[in-house]
Amino acid sequence: MATVKADKNNFQSDVLQASEPVVVDFWAEWCGPCKMIAPALDEIAAELGGKVKIAKVNIDENPELAAQYGVRSIPTLMMFKGGEVADMKVGAAPKTALSAWINGAVA
């Protein structure tokens, strides 16, 4: 499964009401570290199939979502389970660290 684009119109259905855990990547086009982790997130999404969904929220297009969840620095990754934030990771990290964090939260 590839990453999905989330915005204010589908956040409720695609993230908060999802049956599986959802990792939300708050990012922006101008953010270098965000672009660095994007391929790793795509690979992790493919590797984990239906166990977890990875959604990307562009904070420039959706500032209200960023404000609602207190995003102050990007990239910010938030793990949602059952419509609630279960965990959060701020800043870029290598694929191995991202994969370990996501796998730990999904298990």
Side-chain angles (χ1 to χ4, degrees), residues 76-101:
T76 291
L77 301 172
M78 291 188 183
M79 173 72 68
F80 285 80
K81 289 183 179 179
E84 301 288 324
V85 177
D87 201 1
M88 182 171 75
K89 188 171 193 61
V90 178
K95 181 185 174 192
T96 52
L98 293 173
S99 187
W101 177 71

Side-chain angles (χ1 to χ4, degrees), residues 3-77:
T3 58
V4 296
K5 182 178 177 180
D7 59 31
K8 63 184 176 218
N9 299 317
N10 67 359
F11 196 84
Q12 180 77 27
S13 61
D14 285 3
V15 176
L16 301 180
Q17 295 173 347
S19 56
E20 70 273 68
V22 183
V23 174
V24 178
D25 174 20
F26 290 91
W27 72 288
E29 197 64 48
W30 47 264
C31 169
C34 299
K35 290 182 176 183
M36 286 173 38
I37 68 168
L41 291 174
D42 287 336
E43 290 171 17
I44 293 167
E47 289 165 9
L48 292 178
K51 292 183 194 166
V52 68
K53 181 189 295 183
I54 299 182
K56 299 177 74 63
V57 173
N58 184 320
I59 64 164
D60 288 335
E61 296 171 0
N62 301 279
E64 61 286 329
L65 285 175
Q68 180 179 347
Y69 289 99
V71 175
R72 290 191 164 89
S73 179
I74 55 173
T76 291
L77 301 172

